């Protein structure tokens, strides 16, 4: 029997295989602590996080999608507080990466210090893999 040359060929690729090729951000956290580190593009920087959020172990952000990357986002939950260099991570919960003092914890967002937030925001583009590991 010969192949049906008129039938389109579909190549299936798993999300995990696709994620391996994307730029990667790794959050290293310790359960019960509000501080951790974020590694991306050869940099490792301190971050502030929430102890009440169970962050997904492996996820993807489509940075170029409308409304994901904002030079300034205003928090609806916290009296329109300015969140500079905001990158939406978990949309259903309104969890962003953004500039904020690292110390003092978070309600869920990933706080990046003033020295690193703009650099991270400028670096992030396309599809971005976010990996969370607990130590």
């Amino acid at each position: 029997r010969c192949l049906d040359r008129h039938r389109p060929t579909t190549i299936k690729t798993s999300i995990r295989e696709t994620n391996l090729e994307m730029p990667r951000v790794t959050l290293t956290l310790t359960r019960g602590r509000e501080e951790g580190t974020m590694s991306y593009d050869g940099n490792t920087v301190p971050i502030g996080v929430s102890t009440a959020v169970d962050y997904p172990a492996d996820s993807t952000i489509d940075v170029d999608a409308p409304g994901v990357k904002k030079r300034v986002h205003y928090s609806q939950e916290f009296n329109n507080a300015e969140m500079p260099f905001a990158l939406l991570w978990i949309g259903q919960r309104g969890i962003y990466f953004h500039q904020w003092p690292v110390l003092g914890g978070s309600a869920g967002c990933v706080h990046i210090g003033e020295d690193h937030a703009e650099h991270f925001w400028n670096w992030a583009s396309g599809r971005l893999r976010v990996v969370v590991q607990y130590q």
Side-chain angles (χ1 to χ4, degrees):
R1 230 169 170 30
C2 65
L3 295 173
D4 183 356
R5 294 174 195 250
H6 301 288
R7 189 175 291 169
T9 304
T10 303
I11 299 172
K12 293 185 179 180
T13 305
S14 73
I15 291 173
R16 185 166 300 287
E17 288 171 357
T18 303
N19 280 349
L20 295 175
E21 300 166 11
M22 289 182 212
R24 177 178 170 155
V25 175
T26 302
L27 306 182
T28 303
L29 310 176
T30 302
R31 292 197 190 278
R33 298 205 42 155
E34 295 177 333
E35 299 90 25
T37 60
M38 177 176 74
S39 300
Y40 71 97
D41 195 35
N43 301 289
T44 299
V45 301
I47 55 172
V49 295
S50 171
T51 58
V53 173
D54 189 19
Y55 297 102
D58 196 339
S59 59
T60 302
I61 302 172
D62 183 359
V63 176
D64 299 330
V68 172
K69 188 174 184 179
K70 302 175 184 178
R71 184 162 286 283
V72 178
H73 173 72
Y74 295 92
S75 171
Q76 295 176 352
E77 187 175 352
F78 295 102
N79 265 351
N80 288 325
E82 269 191 25
M83 296 163 46
F85 305 111
L87 185 65
L88 181 60
W89 176 20
I90 305 170
Q92 305 90 330
R93 309 240 347 244
I95 295 178
Y96 285 80
F97 289 88
H98 67 89
Q99 179 181 310
W100 198 262
V102 172
L103 298 175
S106 164
C109 291
V110 176
H111 293 168
I112 307 167
E114 187 175 351
D115 296 345
H116 307 288
E118 184 175 8
H119 182 266
F120 172 71
W121 189 84
N122 285 326
W123 172 81
S125 66
R127 294 183 59 79
L128 186 63
R129 180 179 183 197
V130 180
V131 175
V132 178
Q133 56 190 25
Y134 288 93
Q135 51 180 358

